[in-house]
Structures are given as C-alpha cells and as structure tokens.
Amino acid sequence: MSKLRVGILGGTGMVGQRFVSLLENHPWFEVAVIAASPRSAGKTYEEAVGSRWKMSTPMPEAVKHIIVKDVNQVDEISSQVDFVFSAVDMTKEEIKAIEEAYAKTETPVVSNNSAHRWTPDVPMVVPELNPEHLELIPFQRERLGTKRGFIVVKPNCSIQSYTPALYALKEYGPKLVVATTYQAISGAGKNFDEWPEMIDNVIPYIGGEEEKSEQEPLKIFGKVVEGKLEKAKGPLITTQCIRVPVSDGHTAAIFVNFEKKPSKEEILKAWKEFKGLPQELELPMAPKQFIQYLEEDNRPQTKLDRDYEGGMGVSIGRLREDSVFDYKFVGLSHNTLRGAAGGAVLIAELLAAKEYITAK
C-alpha cells in the first residue's frame, strides 16, 4: 500500500524530533509536513533545529530540507497530509483550539499533549490496554461535525511504567495503589547540557504530574457509556512524582492491595501472558513481549532496560509481598518512546489498521 502522509505539529521540539526519528523508514507512514512556531517557519528543518537536535541518531536526510510551516496555517497543512501528530508547545487552551481546528478540516489528530485528555468524547489510549475506547470516535465526529476528522490522545508518560502491570492484574481487583515515580529529565524536554541544575540533584516536585498520575489510569480502566468515557471508580491511587538525574526512562515504585489477593506465581503468569490488539495485529511499533519480568534484585535499571523492545516494552522487577500492602514491585518504561512519540505512533498504527485513518 502507498504510505500515509504525516504532518508533525511542533516538529522542532524534543518529542517532535522523536517523531521524525521514528518515522524514518516507517513501513506505513512518511513525513510530508513539519510545522512549528512562526519563528521557525520558512526555514529548512535542519536550519530551524540547528544545534538543538537531541536524538542519539543523526537527523534523517529525508527531512533536512523540508521547509518548516507555521503551525497556524491549518488549512494549508491539512491539504497536504492524511493525518497529524501533535506535539505543540502552547497553552492548554491554545492546544485544544488548534487540535480541534485540524480535526474540523477532516484531518485526524494523534496528540502527545495533555489538553484533550479529559474531553469526554476524546479517547485516551494505550493500545494494548483500552483499544475499545476508540468507539468514542463516531460520537466525537458528530460533535465536531466531521466525517473523517477526530482527536485521539496518548496518556501521561510516567503512568506507563506501572499502569500496564496493574491492568494485566485487573481480574484480581487492584483497589489501593501507592506509586512514587522517578522521572527522567527528557520528560521536561531537556538534556543535561540545558539543565545543569539536575546534575547530582533530585527535585521532589513536577508540576501537575501527581494529579495526572492518580487520575489518568482511571480513565484507561474506564468504559464507554452513551458516547462518553466514564472513568473507573478504582483503584484508589496516590502518588509522588520526583525528577531524578537520568536522561531517559521513568521508574515507579508501586505498592498495591487487591480485592482478591493473587499468588506471586499468578501475577508473574499474568504479566508474561499479557498481550493486546497491537500484538495480535503485529503492528510495526508493537513490542512482541509487552511486559517483561526481571528476576535480578537490582533490575530494572534505566541504563540497562529502558530500550527493551525498542523502548516500547515495560520492565518489571522486585515483586514481593509487603508487611503493609499485598505486594510491591518496581516498573520502568521509556518516557519518550513508549511514553510519548512511540506510543502515539503505535496509536496511529492501530487507527490505520482499524481504518479510522485512511488516505484522503
């Protein structure tokens, strides 16, 4: 099949750069348009990014000479693409408005931003966990007055280090979760050169992160009711989110109580056997083994394990019974791959496989 034409909104930032890297040689998608702020518009992508290229691999040759467009040129950009990825750096209200504007031009939007995560008819999807939430799209199209356009969002990067592990155990009824996340500096769109204050330092606060970490899993655990997403009533989750001096990879220390306490063997079996629609459909970005369990006491480690399954898998370790809770364990996921651009590309692959995204 011919490749779908992709636009990247906010293509010069760290997540935008990750989209550019991931889409190099993608079997289904090709980058047709890169858009950014007015100050970058009119420059080649190479000129607009300049010395700020943050990926470990070189900038793909195919995008270096693309002329960056002003992200506000909605009609012009929409006419040249089949769908867009959104990673724009704007206020929440501006993001909401511009993503809806693209959707209303009949251009599907797969967003890395948080602005629409609580819009009732916008699916927030981890493709292995809640693909059925895509059933909201027809209701959203009705509200927007579109036949083809819609918005789908990806959840917060840090919850992906533990929500899949809890979801795989939902038959046992997780009811109370305490989560402390240790989050890489790339989650703030920075590296150590730009943020020297983070070297040899820990900051025990990340604005807005704890609220997202406590509430977003409940939307993923929720269900579609009469065209709106009804979030789950549990588990009750309380979190602390800490910035640590790590380049990539978000770690979580989890304590959990269950309605029906499983054995350790049952937990390990559930994690090992867990798979979702992306694995069944063999989507290009899908990890073959979504959740891996590491037996060593000192794993998972960010340096050793964040790139598991191309950064798209989740690594779990240190599962043991606790003196206060039923169990405790440690989770790890790559925050800019599974947690950001990679997760959004996987969503787009699922949307294309289910024919929500097609060539214009």
Side-chain angles (χ1 to χ4, degrees), residues 229-292:
L229 199 288
E230 192 175 277
K231 75 175 187 179
K233 292 184 170 59
L236 177 63
I237 303 171
T238 183
T239 65
Q240 293 201 92
C241 298
I242 298 172
R243 188 73 72 194
V244 295
V246 167
S247 57
D248 292 301
H250 287 352
T251 302
I254 304 299
F255 299 79
V256 57
N257 278 339
F258 295 93
E259 299 283 355
K260 187 181 89 176
K261 184 179 177 181
S263 67
K264 183 175 180 179
E265 292 69 31
E266 286 173 323
I267 293 174
L268 294 177
K269 183 173 185 285
W271 285 342
K272 184 178 181 181
E273 294 179 356
F274 185 78
K275 67 171 81 169
L277 198 51
Q279 285 71 38
E280 291 171 25
L281 296 173
E282 297 182 345
L283 299 178
M285 285 290 291
K288 287 185 171 54
Q289 180 69 41
F290 182 29
I291 300 172
Q292 72 163 342

Side-chain angles (χ1 to χ4, degrees), residues 10-291:
T12 57
M14 182 179 271
V15 175
Q17 292 177 24
R18 182 67 80 180
F19 276 123
V20 166
S21 294
L22 288 174
L23 294 173
E24 184 181 20
N25 303 319
H26 191 282
W28 297 4
F29 309 143
E30 64 181 353
V31 178
V33 173
I34 299 175
S37 66
R39 68 178 176 274
S40 296
K43 299 176 183 177
T44 66
Y45 185 63
E46 189 174 32
E47 290 169 343
V49 172
S51 62
R52 295 179 296 111
W53 181 254
K54 298 177 182 180
M55 301 297 103
S56 58
T57 54
M59 182 183 290
E61 288 295 327
V63 301
K64 283 184 177 180
H65 302 294
I66 289 178
I67 302 299
V68 177
K69 294 189 180 297
D70 181 343
V71 73
N72 299 298
Q73 295 173 306
V74 178
D75 290 329
E76 182 184 340
I77 291 168
S78 293
S79 70
Q80 297 174 33
V81 299
D82 296 310
F83 73 99
V84 296
F85 289 113
S86 175
V88 290
D89 182 13
M90 296 176 169
T91 68
K92 199 167 190 173
E93 291 311 310
E94 287 171 337
I95 292 169
K96 277 187 172 182
I98 202 161
E99 289 183 350
E100 284 208 359
Y102 274 93
K104 285 177 178 176
T105 66
E106 303 293 0
T107 304
V109 178
V110 180
S111 179
N112 188 75
N113 300 304
S114 65
H116 274 293
R117 286 185 192 156
W118 289 98
T119 303
D121 58 11
V122 171
M124 183 176 72
V125 175
V126 177
E128 287 88 350
L129 307 188
N130 60 331
E132 70 279 5
H133 289 189
L134 298 180
E135 294 166 13
L136 288 168
I137 290 172
F139 297 97
Q140 185 192 147
R141 282 172 169 162
E142 190 175 334
R143 173 176 65 85
L144 295 174
T146 60
K147 293 181 179 178
R148 191 177 177 279
F150 61 86
I151 302 163
V152 173
V153 296
K154 167 211 85 47
N156 190 39
C157 52
S158 66
I159 72 167
Q160 321 224 14
S161 56
Y162 60 91
T163 302
L166 296 173
Y167 195 94
L169 303 173
K170 65 179 183 177
E171 68 177 289
Y172 302 106
K175 63 179 181 179
L176 177 62
V177 175
V178 176
T180 301
T181 58
Y182 304 88
Q183 300 185 203
I185 64 171
S186 57
K190 296 182 181 180
N191 56 33
F192 286 114
D193 289 339
E194 298 167 308
W195 204 359
E197 298 85 358
M198 274 307 304
I199 297 171
D200 190 31
N201 196 21
V202 164
I203 298 176
Y205 173 73
I206 305 171
E209 200 75 4
E210 287 159 2
E211 296 86 345
K212 295 174 189 174
S213 300
E214 291 169 358
Q215 293 301 315
E216 289 186 18
L218 301 180
K219 186 168 181 179
I220 291 167
F221 274 83
K223 57 186 179 182
V224 177
V225 179
E226 295 178 355
K228 293 185 179 179
L229 199 288
E230 192 175 277
K231 75 175 187 179
K233 292 184 170 59
L236 177 63
I237 303 171
T238 183
T239 65
Q240 293 201 92
C241 298
I242 298 172
R243 188 73 72 194
V244 295
V246 167
S247 57
D248 292 301
H250 287 352
T251 302
I254 304 299
F255 299 79
V256 57
N257 278 339
F258 295 93
E259 299 283 355
K260 187 181 89 176
K261 184 179 177 181
S263 67
K264 183 175 180 179
E265 292 69 31
E266 286 173 323
I267 293 174
L268 294 177
K269 183 173 185 285
W271 285 342
K272 184 178 181 181
E273 294 179 356
F274 185 78
K275 67 171 81 169
L277 198 51
Q279 285 71 38
E280 291 171 25
L281 296 173
E282 297 182 345
L283 299 178
M285 285 290 291
K288 287 185 171 54
Q289 180 69 41
F290 182 29
I291 300 172

